[in-house]
Amino acid sequence: MKWILKKFSDLTTDELHDVLQLRINVFVVEQDCPYNEVDGKDKIAHHLLGFNYKNEIIAYTRIFKPGDYYKQAAFGRVVVHNEYRNQKIGYDLVNKTILEMKRLFGNVDIKIGGQTYLKKFYKSFGFKQIGEGYIEDGIPHIFMVLETDQ
């Protein structure tokens, strides 16, 4: 795996196309959930791209500085291509995302809104659920926070 972090303006048109295609294939088609995938927030995010040996984007997340999405730093659109799941790439992706966030923003708290079925996955990184669950686009979600030492 090769990991590259880019600002929106640094993405090539091919990379942007491949990221949107991956996100739509998983979040809209695979999860049978029509929603506004292109939400305007990509322009303010950093984008972590994971490439396989053929230089194809197979993993991705977008990262927000504190105040851009929530009061805390945040990340979302965590996705791994379906052909590469069950290979621990999701763990690598979240670990790399947290490391990049610390590099970019220092030791800040990180808040996510994740699908409820992934609670155990995010807990393995130290995230703790805050508040009650909620429904977003017909899918149960929860807010979780990773608190860091200031």
Side-chain angles (χ1 to χ4, degrees), residues 134-147:
Y134 62 98
I135 302 296
E136 183 175 313
D137 300 315
I139 298 173
H141 283 69
I142 54 173
F143 288 117
M144 300 185 83
V145 170
L146 176 64
E147 295 177 338

Side-chain angles (χ1 to χ4, degrees), residues 70-116:
Y70 305 118
K71 181 178 91 173
Q72 306 89 337
F75 67 87
R77 298 298 201 268
V78 179
V79 63
V80 174
H81 190 285
N82 65 350
E83 292 178 17
Y84 293 87
R85 294 189 195 137
N86 299 317
Q87 297 179 29
K88 304 290 185 191
I89 293 171
Y91 286 93
D92 295 342
L93 174 59
V94 172
N95 273 322
K96 182 70 173 166
T97 298
I98 293 168
L99 288 172
E100 289 292 348
M101 293 176 82
K102 287 180 179 182
R103 186 182 65 77
L104 289 168
F105 314 129
N107 284 336
V108 296
D109 292 348
I110 300 169
K111 182 177 179 179
I112 60 171
Q115 293 183 10
T116 303

Side-chain angles (χ1 to χ4, degrees), residues 1-3 49-53 56 58-59 84 89 92-93:
M1 287 288 304
K2 175 177 74 173
W3 299 100
L49 313 170
F51 296 85
N52 66 6
Y53 70 96
E56 300 166 325
I58 60 159
Y84 293 87
I89 293 171
D92 295 342
L93 174 59

